[in-house]
Amino acid sequence: MSETNRLPVNGANSHNSQNEVITGSFAVKVGLAQMLKGGVIMDVVTAEQARIAEEAGACAVMALERVPADIRKDGGVARMSDPRKIKEIIAAVTIPVMAKARIGHFVEAQILQALGVDYIDESEVLTPADEAHHINKHKFTVPFVCGARDLGEALRRIGEGAAMIRTKGEAGTGNIVEAVRHARAVNGAIRQLHGMDEDELFAFAKEIRAPYPLVKLTAELGRLPVVNFAAGGVATPADAALMMQLGVDGVFVGSGIFKSGNPEKRARAIVMAVTHYNDPQILAEISEDLGEPMVGINLDTLSEAEKMAARGW
Amino acid sequence: MNTTIGVLALQGAFLEHETMLRQLGVRPVEVRKPEQLTGLDGLIIPGGESTTMGLVAERWGLVAPLKAWVQSGKPTWGTCAGMILLAERAIGQKAGGQPLIGGLDVTVNRNYFGRQADSFETLLHVPVLGEPPIRAVFIRAPAIVEIGAGVDVLATTAGRAGEEVIVAVQQGNLLATAFHPELTNDLRWHAYFVSQVTHHASSIVPGA
């Protein structure tokens, strides 16, 4: 519980008076996510794509072996990337590099930490390694981002040590509908908290299966206690701006860039859309002539077993 | 008087600066376009990714107006990425370099303190802010490795090899910190900058 009581927002941390250097503290983990806000984190599978993403203004890249659209197409077990690929990507860019570990696969996470990645995504896009337990993220100095479909799931992940949350959306579909559903579910529940008395907060915490101290903190703050990005289905500048107007702090784009007709131009346009998300004139200008977007998947055609968002608990 | 301070809102932790300015009774204005610089008394360039901010600034024609702003002598404060953008010289840039605003006669090493695994918090002794020592959060932080004659050092800390490195400087109305006062609850850095802005604004004869 000590960790959850120390959750910082604008860094509300206690600090001892020794003049010592502290690494891996929750403030330091959340701090990097705060620096990524208002930015776009792009999936890349090669060092060359990482350079294109950096050149387009990505605030970070997610190094992986296959983008979600290909994971969907190829099937089979999706795992952490080859460390060599991650090292090449780290060497190619100056911006932060994230990488994905399977849900519950704490050894993949140990390897990624040893490689020096800046953030680990414990991701439902990969095949889960544990059907009951997520990674105990408090044990790591590297920070974690985790997906969530609703407030309870978000707060459970933060309770396990996640320093950043993202919507799950439905990765690899180019369809924004699930990300919208998840962002609205989180925001709607936070609005519900507003005006509840303490008795009701206890009952609500139980109902959404979330740690009470985090529910209380969320109620006090009126927002999630950590940075919250959109992910899973962002394919256009308008999608990115939609998620920003729904109140997320930034955007992950997976297959949406390098599965489109003109990745460089689209990447740049999505970066601009996240800065100018409230300016329809600018959004109109940057949405023009971007070439073919990724081919989307209508979610009605996906069976429940094909939906990645249902992974994790 | 009503002090208005702009916060460059292209990317990064601009909301945190706004929160702290409001706590000091200052109205923050988000700056995304050149015309939003008009009428401001001071400007904060926040932490974030300096490459992203530089590229977005370039795309929307903000680099030249920001250079002109800094050259006009208006108080400006850069934190972390903002410090990199204000530096005349930066090492460790992305391939092909990155757009800088410049004005601050220093050389910064962009990721001096390393990657996220090396990010840290510590306490700094800062004479201009007095006692007690102030908590500082360094995220993939830069450091200043060289300063020009007109630059005052406000704070140093231990570098990776134990050497003393410069992490806060002032050159006239330009303030730069390698760390993030906006990630703490201590308002002293913001109060210091606001006092610089207020002093500068009151020294200008209205209508002159």
Side-chain angles (χ1 to χ4, degrees), chain B:
Chain B
M1 60 169 282
N2 288 326
T3 308
T4 308
I5 295 181
V7 183
L8 194 65
L10 303 178
Q11 190 270 327
F14 48 88
L15 288 173
E16 285 79 352
H17 277 295
E18 292 174 35
T19 303
M20 295 186 90
L21 289 174
R22 281 195 198 94
Q23 286 175 45
L24 291 166
V26 173
R27 192 170 68 92
V29 173
E30 293 185 357
V31 175
R32 293 183 174 83
K33 298 188 221 174
E35 59 268 29
Q36 290 164 332
L37 287 167
T38 312
L40 300 179
D41 302 306
L43 179 71
I44 295 177
I45 305 177
E49 275 308 313
S50 61
T51 48
T52 304
M53 284 189 227
L55 287 164
V56 178
E58 206 171 39
R59 169 67 179 79
W60 299 102
L62 260 163
V63 177
L66 284 171
K67 279 185 175 163
W69 164 275
V70 168
Q71 276 156 17
S72 75
K74 292 264 187 82
T76 309
W77 176 20
T79 58
C80 192
M83 177 175 100
I84 297 169
L85 291 171
L86 285 178
E88 279 291 330
R89 299 166 295 277
I91 51 181
Q93 302 179 51
K94 73 175 174 65
Q98 65 188 73
L100 297 176
I101 299 162
L104 186 63
D105 186 14
V106 302
T107 304
V108 297
N109 183 338
R110 195 175 174 282
N111 281 45
Y112 181 87
F113 288 101
R115 307 189 66 83
Q116 176 61 11
D118 307 302
S119 292
F120 65 100
E121 44 182 309
T122 191
L123 292 172
L124 297 179
H125 294 273
V126 186
V128 294
L129 301 182
E131 291 298 322
I134 195 158
R135 182 171 159 247
V137 182
F138 291 79
I139 306 290
R140 286 171 48 97
I144 293 172
V145 293
E146 199 181 72
I147 57 168
V151 180
D152 294 323
V153 175
L154 301 186
T156 63
T157 193
R160 294 176 76 183
E163 75 288 11
E164 204 65 0
V165 287
I166 300 167
V167 291
V169 295
Q170 183 163 11
Q171 172 194 316
N173 284 322
L174 294 181
L175 181 64
T177 54
F179 46 90
H180 297 281
E182 75 279 15
L183 299 188
T184 71
N185 283 336
D186 198 321
L187 286 169
R188 281 181 288 168
W189 280 108
H190 286 79
Y192 181 71
F193 181 64
V194 170
S195 75
Q196 307 277 315
V197 173
T198 316
H199 181 258
H200 180 78
S202 64
S203 71
I204 297 170
V205 184

Side-chain angles (χ1 to χ4, degrees), chain A:
Chain A
M1 221 64 328
S2 67
E3 199 61 41
T4 52
N5 289 337
R6 292 180 59 227
L7 276 177
V9 166
N10 262 356
N13 253 355
S14 64
H15 197 285
N16 61 32
S17 58
Q18 304 301 312
N19 196 4
E20 59 181 332
V21 169
I22 303 165
T23 57
S25 66
F26 206 69
V28 163
K29 290 176 172 179
V30 173
L32 178 55
Q34 287 175 282
M35 294 311 131
L36 300 173
K37 291 197 304 179
V40 182
I41 300 166
M42 301 181 191
D43 276 4
V44 298
V45 300
T46 62
E48 193 199 343
Q49 286 187 354
R51 288 281 303 117
I52 292 172
E54 180 177 53
E55 221 36 68
C59 67
V61 290
M62 176 76 70
L64 70 178
E65 219 155 53
R66 288 177 288 171
V67 294
D70 287 334
I71 291 174
R72 251 176 216 295
K73 202 171 70 193
D74 301 348
V77 174
R79 308 179 179 91
M80 176 190 82
S81 298
D82 183 335
R84 173 182 296 238
K85 185 145 281 179
I86 293 169
K87 277 157 68 179
E88 284 169 6
I89 289 169
I90 287 175
V93 294
T94 62
I95 54 179
V97 176
M98 300 184 165
K100 288 183 194 287
R102 282 180 265 177
I103 290 173
H105 206 314
F106 50 85
V107 173
E108 284 189 348
Q110 289 164 4
I111 293 170
L112 292 174
Q113 176 166 283
L115 288 171
V117 304
D118 296 295
Y119 241 92
I120 294 177
D121 184 4
E122 186 184 17
S123 178
E124 69 283 359
V125 168
L126 306 183
T127 311
D130 189 321
E131 292 187 329
H133 309 93
H134 281 254
I135 296 170
N136 178 353
K137 295 166 274 286
H138 293 295
K139 287 186 172 172
F140 291 79
T141 52
V142 63
F144 282 76
V145 55
C146 288
R149 286 163 296 182
D150 53 41
L151 181 61
E153 196 172 12
L155 296 183
R156 285 195 292 281
R157 296 294 86 80
I158 297 168
E160 294 156 2
M164 178 177 180
I165 293 295
R166 54 170 176 77
T167 61
K168 282 184 168 172
E170 193 54 50
T173 61
N175 190 335
I176 198 68
V177 65
E178 290 299 306
V180 168
R181 187 197 315 281
H182 300 158
R184 283 198 182 274
V186 169
N187 291 341
I190 293 172
R191 271 192 296 274
Q192 256 182 286
L193 290 176
H194 184 74
M196 281 190 193
D197 67 16
E198 206 174 28
D199 303 7
E200 290 165 330
L201 286 180
F202 278 118
F204 191 74
K206 187 180 161 198
E207 186 189 317
I208 65 171
R209 298 185 294 130
Y212 170 73
L214 290 177
V215 173
K216 187 163 180 284
L217 181 61
T218 305
E220 282 166 15
L221 298 171
R223 58 155 292 145
L224 278 184
V226 301
V227 169
N228 181 28
F229 268 47
V234 176
T236 67
D239 289 346
L242 171 68
M243 297 310 298
M244 291 298 289
Q245 287 197 27
L246 285 173
V248 300
D249 299 311
V251 172
F252 283 88
V253 188
S255 321
I257 289 172
F258 289 101
K259 285 287 164 190
S260 73
N262 188 342
E264 274 163 291
K265 199 168 177 190
R266 184 166 295 266
R268 201 168 283 262
I270 293 176
V271 169
M272 301 308 162
V274 170
T275 296
H276 294 288
Y277 68 92
N278 253 334
D279 192 328
Q281 284 296 338
I282 288 182
L283 292 174
E285 187 188 323
I286 59 183
S287 297
E288 204 170 294
D289 197 22
L290 294 180
E292 279 297 302
M294 70 178 283
V295 180
I297 297 177
N298 192 326
L299 287 164
D300 298 338
T301 65
L302 281 183
S303 72
E304 285 306 308
E306 289 173 309
K307 289 185 181 166
M308 291 170 173
R311 298 165 168 178
W313 21 89

